[in-house]
Amino acid sequence: MPDFLLPRHLLKSGRSATHSVAVQNDETSLTFADFARDTARWQQTFATLAGQRISLYDEDAYQLACMLFGAWHAGKTPCLPADNLPATRAALRDIVDAFADELSPGATPAGAPSFSELCDNTARLVLFTSGSTGTPQAIDKKLGQLGEEVATLARQWEAVLQGDPVVVLGTVSHQHIYGLLFRVLWPLSAGRPFERLRSTFPETLLHRLRDTPAILVSSPAHLKRLPDTLDWASASTQIAAVFSSGGPLDKEALQRCKSLLGQAPHELYGSTETGGIATRCRQHDDEAPWQVLPGLELRVEGEQLSLRSPHLPDAHWHTTADRIRLEESGFVLLGRNDRIVKLEEKRISLDAIESALMACGAFSAVKAVVLPGAREVIGIAALPTPQGWSELARWGRREFAARHLEALKSSIIAEGLPRHWRYGARFPADAQGKVTVARLLAWFDPRRPVWHQASRSTTEAQIIIDVDAALPDFAGHFPGAPLLPGVTQLDWAIRLGRELFDLPEHFIGVDNLKFQSIISPDSQVTLSFTHDTDRHTLTFAYTSGTLQHASGRLCFGAVPC
Amino acid sequence: MQTLQLEIKQLLINALNLEDITPDEIDPQTPLFGEGLGLDSIDALELGLALQKRYGVSLSPDAAETRDHFSSIAKLAEFVSHARKI
């Protein structure tokens, strides 16, 4: 078979025409001869193009492989976008000359196709990642770098796999470096057939594992959601190795993987920019530190990690945005020092979310935060403009958020779309006047009532509060006859008063406190404030129409009483 | 079937912790993923787990079939009514 279809470092010896390259379920496998033919067809198509850069996106890993090598053999530079969103395509139009999915492969060549040898330095691939500025950043890889990565993987794991015939199954996309290396390039090099489509549902995966011994290329998002209601026992004996990358695998997911799949995964730490950096397998020790991959050197300044690696484009030291702590037998990852967060292994730029929302014109400031929980999601704390407040009142919270989500959908992937929205007059700041994430999280506390602003000046404000029956304040107050506790009304007046006005640091007392009529669950009340800036007092009143609920005067001072 | 639809809507809201939406605001025909409710592939996994726990249903190994079941509340209710064990 053609010697130079794959570069020499990926294919060290010849391979027979009938060798299986890719499979899908139990259907007939595609052979090395099919791969050569389909690559030649794409090469033909791409060779006729005037431009240099071609965008490749395909759900089918086999098609992607044919396009990728077709582009290289046509002397072109393939670009792999991470997703196929309209905004991604629109942004790509400025940097690529063609989209493979707008073209078709050329005619089947007569006889076996022949290829010239690819050059490690001139053949390149462009991958994309979200940069700290929020716009996707193009990462240029030389074919030689990819070859080095595959060589590292082979050095690290071929011995573990012991050459057993296995199929490579995956739950992750090959449009990213991890999926591309583990699901396509390494299998091609090692002569292991890979499954064409990824198994996004655990049932699909289980079904495949029952048929065939396999390597599983997965990620924490999928491993932590393996349902224990399925019978993995017969499948687990079929798994030669599990790989996990894209983000940290928490202990619960690790236990799940061990108990259901019968082994701890080989975890990989790396990034699109740097390639693979380190690995660990927590089979016996849940705290096992990361081990640097063979051939790499690490350096730590402060906590910041720098590295020198054959996976990088040059031999210089490269500083990452990651923080680590060196230990005797490896290192521990501490986190990042920029505003990129990872949710379900997807890199999400908080800056990108914030700037897209600011562009909507309804807010004077926006903060995107990661809300902790079983599933981490994005929450938005926003300060609406007067126009924004009136739209919020007119459309309602759901519709208001839905319209803003619409504006985000073209540029932010689904995992990064905000799930919770909180609005206010000013961000909560600490004693130094700094708006910290910890302070912002208080806005997502279920005890903070939902409200919108009707009017506000330096001395007066009027807000409308939704007294939701689900507020924790109603619990036990009182069984069968729920009413909003007076202490909650006082707490809201102080809390919301602080948010609306500049007040001295300490609350020192309340005068003229009156509770005239009860506030029932699922009602709406108006809270009015008058601020006396000389006396540092804040007069408040809860009303519904002409009905008075409660009123009083809050006093604040620079020193506690 | 309407009772089951309502039940599944509530399960969806709880399992995915959706905000500011009540069951009657979800149209049974609206697509759950992408356009429509805008849920993602992780939500699909979470929803699958919640359905298995609540109704003891098992999903098909055929991904295309599962995607079809998950396309709307109406389709989900239809699937659950046939496949439920609880």
Side-chain angles (χ1 to χ4, degrees), chain A residues 498 503-509 535-536 554-561:
Chain A
R498 282 198 182 282
L503 297 168
E505 197 183 335
H506 299 283
F507 167 65
I508 51 181
R535 294 194 180 137
H536 304 308
L554 308 171
C555 307
F556 296 86
V559 286
C561 59

Side-chain angles (χ1 to χ4, degrees), chain B residues 39-61:
Chain B
L39 305 181
D40 60 37
S41 61
I42 301 301
D43 294 317
L45 289 176
E46 296 275 13
L47 186 56
L49 289 173
L51 289 169
Q52 282 164 17
K53 210 179 266 175
R54 174 70 183 78
Y55 300 108
V57 295
S58 25
L59 302 179
S60 155

Side-chain angles (χ1 to χ4, degrees), chain A residues 203 375 398 419-421, chain B residues 19-20 40 43 46 52:
Chain A
E203 289 77 8
R375 175 175 183 184
R398 178 164 146 64
R419 297 293 180 96
H420 299 278
W421 301 75
Chain B
E19 182 171 277
D20 295 324
D40 60 37
D43 294 317
E46 296 275 13
Q52 282 164 17

Side-chain angles (χ1 to χ4, degrees), chain A residues 64-387:
Chain A
L64 195 279
C66 297
M67 291 174 178
L68 184 64
F69 284 92
W72 278 327
H73 283 293
K76 304 296 181 186
T77 303
C79 303
L80 255 58
D83 58 65
N84 206 18
L85 289 172
T88 309
R89 286 181 81 97
L92 272 177
R93 285 204 189 270
D94 297 337
I95 46 174
V96 304
D97 303 293
F99 287 83
D101 55 12
E102 292 170 0
L103 306 165
S104 12
T108 305
S114 73
F115 298 93
S116 324
E117 186 163 17
L118 292 171
C119 170
D120 269 353
N121 283 314
T122 53
R124 283 164 182 266
L125 169 69
V126 179
L127 293 156
F128 294 89
T129 178
S130 40
S132 44
T133 55
T135 41
Q137 207 182 328
I139 309 288
D140 208 62
K141 296 265 177 197
K142 291 183 237 179
L143 179 59
Q145 284 173 265
L146 298 169
E148 290 285 355
E149 293 254 11
V150 171
T152 303
L153 303 184
R155 263 199 300 274
Q156 183 76 23
W157 285 294
E158 280 305 345
V160 179
L161 299 171
Q162 298 172 331
D164 291 339
V166 289
V167 167
V168 179
L169 303 179
T171 65
V172 297
S173 164
H174 53 251
Q175 298 283 136
H176 296 277
I177 182 100
Y178 167 55
L180 183 70
L181 287 168
F182 278 75
R183 282 186 55 208
V184 179
L185 296 180
W186 184 22
L188 273 175
S189 171
R192 269 192 287 277
F194 56 87
E195 184 92 339
R196 297 172 62 177
L197 299 178
R198 64 190 181 119
S199 313
T200 41
F201 291 103
E203 289 77 8
T204 319
L205 184 65
L206 178 62
H207 179 73
R208 283 297 281 142
L209 284 171
R210 280 181 183 154
D211 296 342
T212 177
I215 290 175
L216 175 59
V217 181
S218 192
S219 70
H222 289 92
L223 293 176
K224 78 178 181 201
R225 293 184 175 87
L226 289 175
D228 47 19
T229 47
L230 298 179
D231 176 18
W232 296 95
S234 55
S236 64
T237 56
Q238 298 268 50
I239 305 177
V242 182
F243 292 96
S244 173
S245 187
L249 185 79
D250 64 32
K251 280 196 188 151
E252 199 193 319
L254 174 66
Q255 289 316 325
R256 187 165 282 267
C257 190
K258 279 189 192 173
S259 75
L260 298 181
L261 303 183
Q263 57 188 297
H266 297 281
E267 297 168 61
L268 266 116
Y269 156 59
S271 69
T272 310
E273 294 90 331
T274 58
I277 297 175
T279 183
R280 64 175 172 179
C281 184
R282 291 179 285 169
Q283 186 70 42
H284 306 294
D285 176 8
D286 284 3
E287 308 291 337
W290 291 97
Q291 308 293 326
V292 64
L293 286 166
L296 277 75
E297 287 174 82
L298 300 190
R299 194 162 76 182
V300 187
E301 280 152 290
E303 289 177 336
Q304 193 156 30
L305 168 70
S306 298
L307 67 143
R308 219 149 62 154
S309 158
H311 309 156
L312 285 167
D314 53 48
H316 300 143
W317 284 95
H318 171 100
T319 305
T320 71
D322 291 337
R323 297 180 300 116
I324 69 164
R325 185 180 65 237
L326 287 178
E327 297 206 330
E328 240 170 71
S329 56
F331 66 89
V332 178
L333 276 173
L334 301 173
R336 281 175 74 91
N337 53 8
D338 60 14
R339 297 202 73 221
I340 301 287
V341 296
K342 270 203 164 181
L343 298 182
E344 308 297 341
E345 292 91 54
K346 303 289 167 50
R347 266 203 228 195
I348 313 284
S349 161
L350 298 179
D351 289 332
I353 295 175
E354 290 171 5
S355 56
L357 284 176
M358 284 301 286
C360 295
F363 305 113
S364 58
V366 174
K367 299 274 183 197
V369 292
V370 177
L371 303 177
R375 175 175 183 184
E376 292 187 321
V377 292
I378 299 286
I380 295 295
L383 311 184
T385 58
Q387 170 76 14

